Coordinates of all heavy atoms in Angstrom, one line a residue:
M944 N 0.8 -1.2 0.0 CA 0.0 0.0 0.0 C 0.9 1.2 0.0 O 1.9 1.4 0.6 CB -0.9 0.0 1.2 CG -1.9 -1.1 1.3 SD -2.9 -0.9 2.7 CE -4.4 -0.6 2.0
S945 N 0.4 2.2 -0.7 CA 1.3 3.5 -0.8 C 0.8 4.5 0.2 O -0.4 4.3 0.8 CB 1.2 4.0 -2.2 OG -0.1 4.4 -2.5
V946 N 1.5 5.5 0.4 CA 1.1 6.5 1.4 C -0.1 7.3 0.8 O -0.9 7.8 1.7 CB 2.3 7.5 1.6 CG1 2.0 8.6 2.6 CG2 3.4 6.7 2.3
E947 N -0.2 7.4 -0.5 CA -1.4 8.2 -1.1 C -2.7 7.6 -0.6 O -3.7 8.3 -0.5 CB -1.2 8.3 -2.6 CG -0.1 9.1 -3.1 CD 1.2 8.4 -2.9 OE1 1.2 7.2 -3.2 OE2 2.2 9.0 -2.7
N948 N -2.9 6.3 -0.5 CA -4.0 5.7 -0.1 C -4.4 5.9 1.4 O -5.5 5.7 1.7 CB -4.0 4.1 -0.3 CG -3.9 3.8 -1.8 OD1 -4.2 4.6 -2.7 ND2 -3.4 2.6 -2.2
K949 N -3.4 6.3 2.1 CA -3.7 6.4 3.6 C -3.7 7.8 4.1 O -3.4 8.1 5.2 CB -2.5 5.7 4.4 CG -2.5 4.2 4.1 CD -1.4 3.5 4.9 CE -1.3 2.0 4.6 NZ -0.3 1.4 5.4
K950 N -4.0 8.8 3.2 CA -3.9 10.2 3.4 C -4.9 10.6 4.6 O -4.6 11.5 5.2 CB -4.3 10.9 2.2 CG -3.1 12.0 1.8 CD -3.4 12.6 0.6 CE -2.2 13.2 0.0 NZ -2.3 13.8 -1.2
F951 N -6.1 10.0 4.6 CA -7.1 10.4 5.5 C -6.9 9.9 7.0 O -7.6 10.3 7.8 CB -8.5 9.8 5.0 CG -8.5 8.3 4.9 CD1 -8.9 7.6 5.9 CD2 -8.1 7.6 3.8 CE1 -9.0 6.2 5.9 CE2 -8.0 6.3 3.6 CZ -8.6 5.5 4.7
K952 N -5.8 9.1 7.2 CA -5.6 8.6 8.5 C -4.8 9.6 9.3 O -4.0 10.4 8.8 CB -5.0 7.3 8.4 CG -5.9 6.2 7.7 CD -5.4 4.8 8.0 CE -6.3 3.9 7.3 NZ -6.0 2.5 7.5
R953 N -4.8 9.5 10.6 CA -4.0 10.4 11.5 C -2.5 10.0 11.4 O -2.2 8.8 11.4 CB -4.4 10.1 13.0 CG -5.8 10.6 13.2 CD -6.2 10.6 14.7 NE -6.1 9.3 15.3 CZ -6.0 9.0 16.5 NH1 -6.1 10.1 17.4 NH2 -6.0 7.9 17.0
T954 N -1.8 11.1 11.4 CA -0.3 10.9 11.4 C 0.3 11.5 12.7 O -0.3 12.6 13.2 CB 0.4 11.5 10.2 OG1 0.1 12.9 10.2 CG2 -0.1 10.8 9.0
L955 N 1.3 11.0 13.2 CA 2.0 11.6 14.4 C 3.5 11.5 14.2 O 3.9 10.7 13.4 CB 1.7 10.8 15.6 CG 0.2 10.7 16.2 CD1 0.1 9.7 17.3 CD2 -0.3 12.1 16.6
E956 N 4.2 12.5 14.8 CA 5.6 12.6 14.7 C 6.2 12.4 16.2 O 5.7 13.1 17.1 CB 6.1 13.8 14.1 CG 5.7 14.0 12.7 CD 6.3 15.3 12.0 OE1 6.9 16.0 12.8 OE2 6.0 15.4 10.9
G957 N 7.2 11.6 16.3 CA 7.8 11.4 17.6 C 9.2 10.8 17.4 O 9.8 10.7 16.4
V958 N 9.8 10.4 18.5 CA 11.2 9.9 18.6 C 11.1 8.4 19.2 O 10.3 8.1 20.1 CB 11.9 10.7 19.7 CG1 13.4 10.2 19.8 CG2 12.1 12.2 19.2
V959 N 11.9 7.5 18.5 CA 11.9 6.2 18.9 C 12.6 6.0 20.2 O 13.7 6.5 20.4 CB 12.6 5.3 17.8 CG1 12.7 3.9 18.3 CG2 11.9 5.4 16.5
V960 N 12.0 5.4 21.3 CA 12.5 5.2 22.5 C 12.8 3.7 22.8 O 13.6 3.5 23.7 CB 11.6 5.8 23.7 CG1 11.6 7.2 23.7 CG2 10.3 5.2 23.6
S961 N 12.3 2.8 21.9 CA 12.7 1.4 22.1 C 12.6 0.8 20.7 O 11.5 1.0 20.0 CB 11.8 0.8 23.1 OG 12.1 -0.6 23.2
D962 N 13.5 -0.1 20.4 CA 13.5 -0.9 19.2 C 13.8 -2.3 19.5 O 14.3 -3.1 18.6 CB 14.3 -0.3 18.0 CG 15.8 -0.3 18.4 OD1 16.1 -0.5 19.6 OD2 16.6 0.0 17.5
K963 N 13.7 -2.8 20.7 CA 14.0 -4.1 21.1 C 13.3 -5.2 20.6 O 13.8 -6.3 20.5 CB 14.2 -4.1 22.6 CG 15.2 -3.2 23.3 CD 15.1 -3.4 24.8 CE 16.2 -2.4 25.4 NZ 16.2 -2.5 26.9
N964 N 12.0 -5.0 20.4 CA 11.1 -5.9 19.9 C 11.2 -6.2 18.4 O 11.6 -5.2 17.7 CB 9.7 -5.7 20.3 CG 9.4 -5.7 21.7 OD1 10.0 -6.5 22.5 ND2 8.7 -4.8 22.2
D965 N 10.9 -7.4 17.9 CA 11.1 -7.7 16.4 C 9.9 -7.0 15.8 O 8.7 -7.3 16.1 CB 11.1 -9.1 16.2 CG 11.3 -9.5 14.8 OD1 12.2 -8.8 14.1 OD2 10.8 -10.5 14.3
K966 N 10.1 -6.2 14.7 CA 9.1 -5.5 13.9 C 8.2 -4.6 14.6 O 7.2 -4.2 14.3 CB 8.3 -6.6 13.2 CG 9.0 -7.4 12.2 CD 8.1 -8.3 11.4 CE 8.9 -9.1 10.4 NZ 8.1 -9.9 9.5
T967 N 8.7 -4.2 15.8 CA 7.9 -3.2 16.7 C 8.9 -2.1 17.2 O 10.0 -2.4 17.7 CB 7.3 -4.0 17.9 OG1 6.5 -5.0 17.4 CG2 6.5 -3.0 18.7
I968 N 8.4 -0.9 17.2 CA 9.1 0.2 17.8 C 8.2 0.9 18.7 O 7.0 0.8 18.5 CB 9.7 1.2 16.8 CG1 8.5 1.8 15.9 CG2 10.7 0.7 16.0 CD1 8.9 2.9 15.0
T969 N 8.7 1.6 19.7 CA 7.9 2.4 20.7 C 8.2 3.8 20.4 O 9.5 4.2 20.4 CB 8.3 2.0 22.2 OG1 8.0 0.7 22.3 CG2 7.4 2.7 23.1
V970 N 7.3 4.6 20.1 CA 7.5 6.0 19.8 C 6.9 6.9 20.9 O 5.7 6.7 21.2 CB 6.9 6.3 18.4 CG1 7.0 7.7 18.0 CG2 7.4 5.4 17.3
N971 N 7.8 7.9 21.3 CA 7.3 8.9 22.3 C 6.8 10.1 21.5 O 7.7 10.7 20.8 CB 8.4 9.2 23.3 CG 7.9 10.0 24.4 OD1 6.7 9.9 24.8 ND2 8.8 10.9 25.0
V972 N 5.6 10.4 21.6 CA 5.0 11.7 20.9 C 4.7 12.7 22.0 O 4.0 12.4 22.9 CB 3.7 11.2 20.2 CG1 3.1 12.5 19.5 CG2 4.1 10.2 19.1
V973 N 5.2 13.9 21.8 CA 5.0 15.1 22.7 C 4.2 16.0 22.0 O 4.3 16.4 20.9 CB 6.4 15.7 23.0 CG1 6.2 16.9 24.0 CG2 7.3 14.7 23.6
R974 N 3.1 16.5 22.8 CA 2.2 17.5 22.2 C 2.1 18.6 23.2 O 2.2 18.4 24.4 CB 0.8 16.9 21.9 CG -0.1 16.8 23.1 CD -1.5 16.2 22.6 NE -2.2 16.0 23.7 CZ -3.2 16.8 24.1 NH1 -3.4 17.9 23.5 NH2 -3.8 16.6 25.3
R975 N 2.1 19.8 22.7 CA 2.0 21.0 23.5 C 0.6 21.7 23.3 O 0.0 21.7 22.3 CB 3.1 22.0 23.1 CG 4.4 21.6 23.4 CD 5.5 22.5 22.9 NE 5.3 23.9 23.3 CZ 5.7 24.5 24.4 NH1 6.3 23.9 25.4 NH2 5.4 25.8 24.6
F976 N 0.0 22.1 24.4 CA -1.2 22.8 24.4 C -1.3 23.8 25.5 O -0.5 23.7 26.5 CB -2.4 21.7 24.5 CG -2.4 20.9 25.8 CD1 -3.0 21.3 26.9 CD2 -1.6 19.8 26.0 CE1 -3.0 20.6 28.2 CE2 -1.5 19.1 27.1 CZ -2.2 19.5 28.2
K977 N -2.2 24.7 25.4 CA -2.4 25.8 26.3 C -3.4 25.4 27.4 O -4.5 24.9 27.1 CB -2.9 27.0 25.7 CG -2.8 28.3 26.4 CD -3.0 29.5 25.6 CE -2.7 30.7 26.4 NZ -2.9 31.9 25.5
H978 N -3.0 25.4 28.6 CA -3.8 25.1 29.8 C -5.0 26.1 29.8 O -4.8 27.2 29.8 CB -3.1 25.1 31.1 CG -3.8 24.4 32.2 ND1 -4.8 24.9 32.9 CD2 -3.6 23.1 32.6 CE1 -5.2 24.1 33.8 NE2 -4.5 23.0 33.7
R979 N -6.2 25.6 29.9 CA -7.3 26.5 29.8 C -7.6 27.4 31.0 O -8.1 28.4 30.9 CB -8.6 25.8 29.5 CG -9.2 24.9 30.6 CD -10.5 24.2 30.1 NE -10.3 22.9 30.6 CZ -11.3 22.0 30.4 NH1 -12.2 22.2 29.6 NH2 -11.2 20.7 30.8
T980 N -7.1 26.9 32.2 CA -7.3 27.8 33.4 C -6.0 28.7 33.6 O -6.2 29.9 33.9 CB -7.4 26.9 34.6 OG1 -8.6 26.0 34.4 CG2 -7.6 27.7 35.9
Y981 N -4.8 28.1 33.5 CA -3.7 28.9 33.8 C -3.0 29.5 32.7 O -2.1 30.4 32.8 CB -2.6 28.0 34.5 CG -3.2 27.3 35.8 CD1 -3.3 25.9 35.8 CD2 -3.6 28.1 36.8 CE1 -3.8 25.3 37.1 CE2 -4.2 27.5 38.0 CZ -4.2 26.1 38.0 OH -4.8 25.6 39.2
N982 N -3.5 29.3 31.5 CA -3.0 29.9 30.2 C -1.5 29.7 30.0 O -0.9 30.6 29.5 CB -3.3 31.4 30.1 CG -4.9 31.6 30.0 OD1 -5.6 30.9 29.3 ND2 -5.4 32.6 30.6
K983 N -1.0 28.6 30.6 CA 0.4 28.3 30.3 C 0.5 27.2 29.3 O -0.5 26.4 29.2 CB 1.1 27.8 31.6 CG 1.4 28.8 32.6 CD 2.0 28.2 33.8 CE 3.1 29.1 34.3 NZ 3.8 28.4 35.4
F984 N 1.6 27.1 28.6 CA 1.8 26.0 27.6 C 2.3 24.8 28.4 O 3.3 24.9 29.1 CB 2.7 26.3 26.5 CG 2.0 27.3 25.5 CD1 2.3 28.6 25.6 CD2 1.3 26.7 24.6 CE1 1.5 29.5 24.6 CE2 0.6 27.5 23.6 CZ 0.7 28.9 23.7
V985 N 1.7 23.7 28.2 CA 2.0 22.4 28.9 C 2.4 21.4 27.9 O 1.8 21.3 26.8 CB 0.7 21.9 29.7 CG1 1.1 20.7 30.5 CG2 0.3 23.0 30.6
S986 N 3.4 20.6 28.2 CA 3.8 19.5 27.3 C 3.2 18.1 27.9 O 3.3 17.9 29.0 CB 5.3 19.4 27.2 OG 5.9 20.6 26.6
S987 N 2.7 17.4 27.0 CA 2.2 16.1 27.4 C 2.8 15.1 26.4 O 2.8 15.3 25.2 CB 0.7 16.1 27.4 OG 0.1 14.8 27.6
S988 N 3.2 13.9 27.0 CA 3.8 12.9 26.1 C 3.0 11.6 26.3 O 2.5 11.3 27.3 CB 5.2 12.7 26.4 OG 5.4 12.2 27.7
K989 N 3.1 10.8 25.2 CA 2.4 9.5 25.2 C 3.3 8.7 24.3 O 3.8 9.0 23.3 CB 1.0 9.7 24.7 CG 0.2 8.4 24.8 CD -1.2 8.5 24.4 CE -2.0 7.1 24.5 NZ -3.3 7.3 24.1
R990 N 3.3 7.3 24.7 CA 4.0 6.4 23.9 C 3.1 5.5 23.2 O 2.1 5.0 23.6 CB 4.9 5.5 24.9 CG 6.0 6.2 25.5 CD 6.9 5.3 26.4 NE 7.9 6.1 26.9 CZ 9.0 5.5 27.4 NH1 9.2 4.2 27.5 NH2 9.9 6.3 28.0
Y991 N 3.5 5.3 21.9 CA 2.7 4.4 20.9 C 3.6 3.3 20.5 O 4.8 3.5 20.2 CB 2.2 5.3 19.7 CG 1.2 6.3 20.1 CD1 1.7 7.7 20.3 CD2 -0.2 6.1 20.2 CE1 0.8 8.6 20.6 CE2 -1.0 7.1 20.5 CZ -0.6 8.3 20.7 OH -1.5 9.3 21.0
H992 N 3.1 2.1 20.3 CA 3.7 0.9 19.7 C 3.3 1.0 18.2 O 2.2 1.0 17.8 CB 3.2 -0.3 20.4 CG 3.6 -0.5 21.7 ND1 4.9 -0.9 22.1 CD2 3.1 -0.2 22.9 CE1 5.0 -0.9 23.5 NE2 3.8 -0.4 23.9
A993 N 4.4 0.9 17.4 CA 4.1 1.0 15.9 C 4.8 -0.2 15.2 O 5.8 -0.8 15.7 CB 4.7 2.3 15.4
H994 N 4.2 -0.6 14.1 CA 4.7 -1.7 13.4 C 5.8 -1.3 12.4 O 5.6 -0.3 11.6 CB 3.6 -2.4 12.6 CG 3.9 -3.6 11.8 ND1 4.3 -4.8 12.4 CD2 4.1 -3.9 10.4 CE1 4.6 -5.7 11.4 NE2 4.5 -5.1 10.4
D995 N 7.0 -2.0 12.4 CA 8.1 -1.6 11.6 C 8.5 -2.9 10.9 O 9.2 -3.7 11.4 CB 9.2 -1.0 12.5 CG 10.5 -0.6 11.7 OD1 10.4 -0.6 10.4 OD2 11.5 -0.4 12.4
E996 N 8.0 -3.0 9.7 CA 8.1 -4.3 9.0 C 9.6 -4.7 8.7 O 10.0 -5.9 8.9 CB 7.4 -4.2 7.7 CG 7.4 -5.5 6.8 CD 6.7 -6.7 7.4 OE1 5.6 -6.4 8.1 OE2 7.1 -7.8 7.4
N997 N 10.4 -3.7 8.4 CA 11.8 -4.1 8.0 C 12.8 -3.8 9.1 O 14.1 -3.9 8.8 CB 12.2 -3.4 6.7 CG 11.3 -3.8 5.6 OD1 10.9 -4.9 5.4 ND2 10.9 -2.8 4.8
N998 N 12.4 -3.4 10.3 CA 13.3 -3.1 11.4 C 14.2 -2.0 10.9 O 15.5 -2.0 11.2 CB 14.0 -4.3 11.9 CG 13.1 -5.2 12.7 OD1 12.2 -4.8 13.3 ND2 13.4 -6.5 12.5
T999 N 13.7 -0.9 10.3 CA 14.6 0.1 9.8 C 14.9 1.2 10.9 O 15.9 1.8 10.8 CB 13.9 0.8 8.5 OG1 12.6 1.2 8.9 CG2 13.8 -0.2 7.4
A1000 N 13.9 1.5 11.7 CA 14.1 2.6 12.6 C 14.9 2.2 13.8 O 14.8 1.1 14.3 CB 12.7 3.1 13.2
K1001 N 15.8 3.1 14.3 CA 16.7 2.8 15.4 C 16.4 3.8 16.5 O 15.7 4.7 16.4 CB 18.2 2.9 14.9 CG 18.5 2.0 13.8 CD 18.4 0.6 14.3 CE 18.7 -0.4 13.1 NZ 18.1 -1.8 13.4
L1002 N 17.0 3.5 17.7 CA 16.8 4.3 18.9 C 17.2 5.7 18.7 O 18.3 6.0 18.1 CB 17.7 3.7 20.0 CG 17.4 4.2 21.4 CD1 16.0 3.9 21.9 CD2 18.4 3.6 22.4
G1003 N 16.4 6.8 18.9 CA 16.7 8.1 18.8 C 16.3 8.7 17.4 O 16.4 9.9 17.3
D1004 N 15.8 7.9 16.6 CA 15.4 8.5 15.2 C 14.1 9.2 15.4 O 13.2 8.8 16.2 CB 15.2 7.3 14.2 CG 16.5 6.7 13.8 OD1 17.5 7.2 14.1 OD2 16.4 5.6 13.0
K1005 N 13.9 10.2 14.6 CA 12.6 10.9 14.4 C 11.8 10.3 13.4 O 12.3 9.9 12.3 CB 12.8 12.4 14.1 CG 13.2 13.3 15.1 CD 13.2 14.8 14.6 CE 13.3 15.7 15.8 NZ 13.1 17.1 15.4
V1006 N 10.5 9.9 13.7 CA 9.7 9.1 12.8 C 8.4 9.7 12.7 O 7.9 10.4 13.5 CB 9.7 7.6 13.3 CG1 11.0 6.9 13.3 CG2 9.0 7.5 14.7
T1007 N 7.8 9.2 11.6 CA 6.3 9.5 11.4 C 5.5 8.2 11.4 O 5.9 7.3 10.7 CB 6.2 10.3 10.0 OG1 7.0 11.4 10.0 CG2 4.7 10.7 9.8
I1008 N 4.5 8.2 12.2 CA 3.7 7.0 12.2 C 2.2 7.3 11.7 O 1.9 8.5 11.8 CB 3.7 6.4 13.6 CG1 3.2 7.3 14.7 CG2 5.0 5.7 13.9 CD1 3.1 6.8 16.1
I1009 N 1.6 6.4 11.2 CA 0.2 6.6 10.7 C -0.7 5.5 11.4 O -0.3 4.4 11.6 CB 0.2 6.5 9.2 CG1 -1.0 7.0 8.6 CG2 0.6 5.1 8.6 CD1 -1.0 7.2 7.1
E1010 N -2.0 5.9 11.6 CA -3.0 5.0 12.1 C -3.2 3.8 11.1 O -3.1 4.0 9.9 CB -4.2 5.8 12.3 CG -5.2 5.2 13.2 CD -6.4 6.1 13.4 OE1 -6.7 6.9 12.5 OE2 -7.0 6.0 14.4
S1011 N -3.3 2.6 11.7 CA -3.5 1.4 10.8 C -4.5 0.4 11.5 O -4.9 0.7 12.6 CB -2.2 0.8 10.5 OG -1.7 0.1 11.6
R1012 N -4.6 -0.7 10.8 CA -5.3 -1.8 11.4 C -4.7 -2.3 12.6 O -3.4 -2.2 12.7 CB -5.6 -2.9 10.4 CG -4.3 -3.6 10.0 CD -4.5 -4.8 9.1 NE -3.3 -5.5 8.7 CZ -2.8 -6.4 9.5 NH1 -3.2 -6.7 10.6 NH2 -1.6 -6.9 9.2
P1013 N -5.3 -3.0 13.5 CA -4.6 -3.6 14.7 C -3.7 -4.7 14.3 O -4.2 -5.7 13.7 CB -5.7 -4.1 15.7 CG -6.9 -3.3 15.2 CD -6.8 -3.0 13.8
H1014 N -2.4 -4.6 14.6 CA -1.5 -5.7 14.4 C -1.5 -6.7 15.5 O -1.2 -7.8 15.4 CB -0.1 -5.1 14.1 CG 0.0 -4.5 12.8 ND1 0.2 -5.1 11.5 CD2 -0.1 -3.1 12.5 CE1 0.2 -4.2 10.6 NE2 0.0 -2.9 11.1
S1015 N -1.7 -6.1 16.8 CA -1.8 -6.9 18.0 C -2.5 -6.1 19.0 O -3.1 -5.1 18.6 CB -0.3 -7.1 18.5 OG 0.4 -6.0 18.9
K1016 N -2.4 -6.5 20.3 CA -3.2 -5.8 21.3 C -2.9 -4.3 21.4 O -3.7 -3.5 21.6 CB -2.9 -6.5 22.6 CG -3.7 -5.9 23.8 CD -3.4 -6.7 25.1 CE -4.0 -6.0 26.3 NZ -3.7 -6.7 27.5
L1017 N -1.5 -4.0 21.4 CA -1.0 -2.7 21.5 C -0.7 -1.9 20.2 O -0.7 -0.7 20.1 CB 0.2 -2.5 22.4 CG 0.0 -3.1 23.9 CD1 1.3 -3.1 24.6 CD2 -1.0 -2.2 24.5
K1018 N -0.4 -2.7 19.1 CA 0.1 -2.1 17.9 C -1.1 -1.7 17.0 O -1.6 -2.6 16.4 CB 1.1 -3.1 17.2 CG 2.4 -3.1 17.8 CD 3.5 -3.7 16.8 CE 3.1 -4.8 16.1 NZ 4.3 -5.5 15.4
K1019 N -1.4 -0.4 16.9 CA -2.3 0.1 16.0 C -1.9 1.2 15.1 O -2.6 2.0 14.5 CB -3.6 0.6 16.9 CG -4.2 -0.6 17.6 CD -5.2 -0.1 18.6 CE -5.9 -1.2 19.3 NZ -5.0 -2.0 20.1
W1020 N -0.5 1.3 15.0 CA 0.2 2.3 14.2 C 1.3 1.6 13.4 O 1.8 0.5 13.7 CB 0.8 3.4 15.1 CG -0.2 4.1 15.9 CD1 -0.7 3.7 17.1 CD2 -0.8 5.4 15.6 NE1 -1.5 4.7 17.5 CE2 -1.6 5.7 16.7 CE3 -0.6 6.2 14.6 CZ2 -2.4 6.8 16.7 CZ3 -1.4 7.4 14.6 CH2 -2.3 7.7 15.7
E1021 N 1.5 2.2 12.2 CA 2.6 1.8 11.2 C 3.6 2.9 11.1 O 3.3 4.1 11.0 CB 1.9 1.4 9.9 CG 1.2 0.2 9.8 CD 0.7 -0.2 8.5 OE1 1.2 0.5 7.5 OE2 -0.1 -1.1 8.4
L1022 N 4.8 2.5 10.8 CA 5.9 3.4 10.5 C 5.7 3.8 9.0 O 5.6 3.0 8.2 CB 7.3 2.7 10.7 CG 8.5 3.6 10.4 CD1 8.7 4.8 11.3 CD2 9.8 2.6 10.4
V1023 N 5.8 5.2 8.8 CA 5.8 5.6 7.4 C 7.2 6.1 7.0 O 7.7 5.7 6.0 CB 4.7 6.9 7.3 CG1 4.9 7.5 6.0 CG2 3.4 6.4 7.7
G1024 N 7.8 6.9 7.8 CA 9.2 7.4 7.4 C 10.0 7.6 8.7 O 9.5 7.9 9.8
A1025 N 11.3 7.6 8.5 CA 12.3 7.8 9.5 C 13.3 8.8 9.1 O 13.8 8.8 8.0 CB 12.9 6.5 10.0
Q1026 N 13.8 9.6 10.1 CA 14.8 10.6 9.8 C 15.9 10.4 11.0 O 15.5 10.0 12.0 CB 14.4 12.1 9.9 CG 13.2 12.4 9.1 CD 12.5 13.6 9.5 OE1 13.0 14.4 10.5 NE2 11.4 14.0 8.9
K1027 N 17.1 10.6 10.7 CA 18.2 10.4 11.7 C 18.3 11.6 12.6 O 18.0 12.7 12.2 CB 19.4 10.0 11.0 CG 19.2 8.8 10.2 CD 20.1 7.7 10.8 CE 19.7 6.4 10.0 NZ 20.2 5.3 10.4

């Protein structure tokens, strides 16, 4: 499947924090938002498990992941691209 067919799905950018599992990476995604009461910018992070078919992404890489079908209990994202 090409990326053009998956344009309507959600994409996230983050940093690989673990690549120990086979064909799986853990991506830490940080999002910044303004707190509605205190009007300060707050950073919130969440980890996602993503499917990496060819084990291309390494620890510390910036990656883009896209929403996909469930590959397992936790893996519901796929790796689209990686930058060093």
Side-chain angles (χ1 to χ4, degrees):
M944 296 183 114
S945 64
V946 177
E947 290 79 35
N948 293 341
K949 298 181 181 183
K950 238 179 198 178
F951 59 93
K952 298 193 178 184
R953 293 189 298 165
T954 61
L955 298 174
E956 292 182 359
V958 178
V959 177
V960 292
S961 175
D962 62 349
K963 293 179 181 178
N964 297 324
D965 187 34
K966 297 187 179 181
T967 303
I968 56 172
T969 305
V970 180
N971 191 29
V972 176
V973 177
R974 80 181 178 97
R975 289 176 49 90
F976 60 94
K977 195 170 188 178
H978 195 281
R979 72 179 137 185
T980 304
Y981 301 119
N982 292 325
K983 285 182 142 186
F984 284 97
V985 182
S986 294
S987 175
S988 65
K989 187 173 179 182
R990 292 184 177 194
Y991 294 94
H992 294 274
H994 184 69
D995 182 8
E996 182 66 36
N997 301 322
N998 290 323
T999 56
K1001 300 298 176 199
L1002 190 67
D1004 289 352
K1005 281 189 169 185
V1006 295
T1007 304
I1008 55 175
I1009 193 167
E1010 199 174 27
S1011 70
R1012 66 174 179 85
H1014 291 278
S1015 67
K1016 180 181 175 183
L1017 297 175
K1018 286 198 315 188
K1019 294 169 179 63
W1020 296 84
E1021 285 181 11
L1022 176 69
V1023 174
Q1026 307 164 4
K1027 299 243 175 190

